[in-house]
Amino acid sequence: MSDIIQLLPDHVANQIAAGEVVQRPASIVKELLENSVDAGSSKIQLIIRDAGKNLLQVVDNGIGMSETDARLAFERHATSKIRSTEDIFKIATKGFRGEALASIAAVAQVELKTKQKDAPVGTNIYIEGGIFQFQDPIQTVEGSNFSVKNLFYNVPARRKFLKNDNVEFRHIIDEFQRVVLAHENIEFEMFHNDEPVFKLRKGGQMQRIIDVFGRKLQPLLIPIKEDLGWANLQGYVAKPEGAKKVRGEQFFFVNGRYFKSPYLSKAVQEAFDGLLQPGYIPSFFLYLEMDPEKIDVNIHPQKTEVKFEDEALIFALMRSTIKRSLGIYNVAPSLDFERDPKMEAFFSPTPSKSNYSSPMPSSINVDRDFNPFAVEKTTEEERINLAELYQATATAAPSKINLFEDDDLDEDLFRLPNGYWLLNKDGQTYMLDLGRMHRVLMSSHQENLPTKKAGQSLLFSLEYHLNEIEKNKYKSIKKYLPDFGFEMTLAQENVLRIETVPEALKESQVIKFLEKIFEVLEYRTEEDFYKYFEYQWVKLKTKSKFDFIYKTEVEQLVKDFIDLGFPQYTVNGKKCWMEVPFDDFKNKF
């Protein structure tokens, strides 16, 4: 029988290996940006087109590469970061495996222009689908210029599974943020389809966070700092009012490397125990510095997981440090006598004579004629009244206590003080949520909804300051906004000027409504957003409608809902009604 095992060609092996490193355009952004950081760059530019599907370009002013290094860099396991096995356990650079460039070149068309500082000319190398094409001398600036074109052009099955441009662009921004937040001493620029997205100057951690996420985050940030020698923790957490229901502004860094850790995220969550509403996640930017030999970053191809020598100590450090900072800044209760002069004076062992006076005893008034054993005399008239009251109480049926207004009460339907309604139906009693019932009825007649909502002009326009991420979200949805009654323009310095809002939207609700729209618009397509906006508009209109409602309107709404089949749940799985267990209440008596 002939042999059947054989070595794969290099370009096939590289394409297989690329599946671990290159999952989408954002993966290439991460690898190229980290290479530029390792090259000692002080300025890095990221240029993308069509969400990276057709072009991903990274330009830096780092040390560059020689002609030999440029050719060798695209070979598998070729790296300048480590030399021996021992180096793996004290890694101080972002990359170290030597697989990224080979994997990228295997599934795209890659061109590299690079030049070292003292070299008279640079070199230009071109690789297509993992196959070397040419290498020529070229006149170029110091540093490196990587261009990755037509990603997955030779692997159609992989390209077919890429998401739409909005989703892929959002993933690119995620990777870009993770790099720039860890390196505030480097200037970054990002362009998408020839339009600037980010222009980040050099500065401190606080300045970089504000430049990325916007000025409105600045008053919410609380500094975190603790140096124990073996570990140095610093960064910022946002106050409880900055918490959100979706993840997005949660960042861990160790030695300048971004990583994910559900375990340490729980430490942050526990530090906010009792301060957040259920389901909300605090925002944080935490930077940990420690001995590289105490951590292992070589456990995942994406290098987003880190193994600590003693993770429980890191957990305790983060939880206690954050909790203390929340107390110092009056976000959570804290007893710190060293910082409270009133407490110092209270616990001082030798109070000064000038501010100390002996306490005065409290005065007590005593009725010396009171006799608890004296029998109070009852008149004949009072005895007759008590007898009549006892007889009436013994023979009367249990009384019904009316907790509601008379005009809200009939035999089948009446209102509760908390805004819900009670319905007696088929011998059962149900508590109703009129708003959710109305939304179910509206969705069942979706075709009858107007395609364009009426708007109301504001007497004074509102201003909403956008960060770069929100600005791009706004650009992707602005064509839909007039259909919902919005009229707004993007002014200078990322200021959104709002002139007209939907009729159902109160002026005080506009900013929060927009924040919620931007918050949920993470990985949704434009079509999904349109449906979501329609749902939010119906929900908002329903809420305004039931701020005040007549009894006859409630009766008609309940009748229509019963005709619909009396469904218990909305399309989102929330209850429209619940049965009131009156039998259980009776047993308690």
Side-chain angles (χ1 to χ4, degrees), residues 169-179 251 523:
F169 180 62
R170 180 59 200 160
H171 282 288
I172 289 175
I173 286 184
D174 285 344
E175 294 294 348
F176 182 80
Q177 288 176 347
R178 294 166 183 174
V179 175
F251 294 90
Y523 301 100

Side-chain angles (χ1 to χ4, degrees), residues 419-422 430-440 542 546 557 561 570 574-578:
Y420 293 98
W421 288 69
L422 289 183
Y430 303 93
M431 183 181 294
L432 309 179
D433 187 320
L434 298 187
R436 292 177 182 174
M437 290 168 57
H438 182 72
R439 288 197 288 275
V440 171
T542 300
F546 292 105
L557 173 65
F561 195 74
T570 67
K574 296 184 177 181
K575 287 186 177 182
C576 297
W577 55 264
M578 62 177 294

Side-chain angles (χ1 to χ4, degrees), residues 21 26 41 66 70 97 137 156 159 163 180 210 215 218-219 233 247 281 284 291 295 364 429 454 495 497 500 552:
V21 179
S41 307
S66 66
R97 292 198 186 102
R159 188 174 180 92
K163 305 297 183 182
V180 303
I210 295 170
R215 289 182 296 173
Q218 182 175 4
L233 176 65
R247 296 191 177 274
I281 307 167
F284 57 82
D291 188 348
I295 61 176
I364 302 176
T429 303
V495 176
R497 204 174 301 279
T500 304
T552 54

Side-chain angles (χ1 to χ4, degrees), residues 186-202:
I186 301 177
E187 181 181 348
F188 286 92
E189 292 182 352
M190 178 179 176
F191 300 87
H192 184 214
N193 293 336
D194 300 324
E195 291 188 6
V197 179
F198 286 100
K199 286 191 176 182
L200 306 176
R201 53 190 169 170
K202 299 179 184 179

Side-chain angles (χ1 to χ4, degrees), residues 34 38 63 70 188 209 267 301 349 366 379 382 427 432 435 506-507 523 525 531-532 534 546 571 577:
E34 288 182 347
D38 288 340
I63 60 175
F188 286 92
I209 293 171
V366 179
T379 64
E382 288 173 339
L432 309 179
K506 297 178 182 178
E507 185 173 340
Y523 301 100
T525 63
K531 295 177 182 177
Y532 177 82
E534 181 75 36
F546 292 105
V571 293
W577 55 264

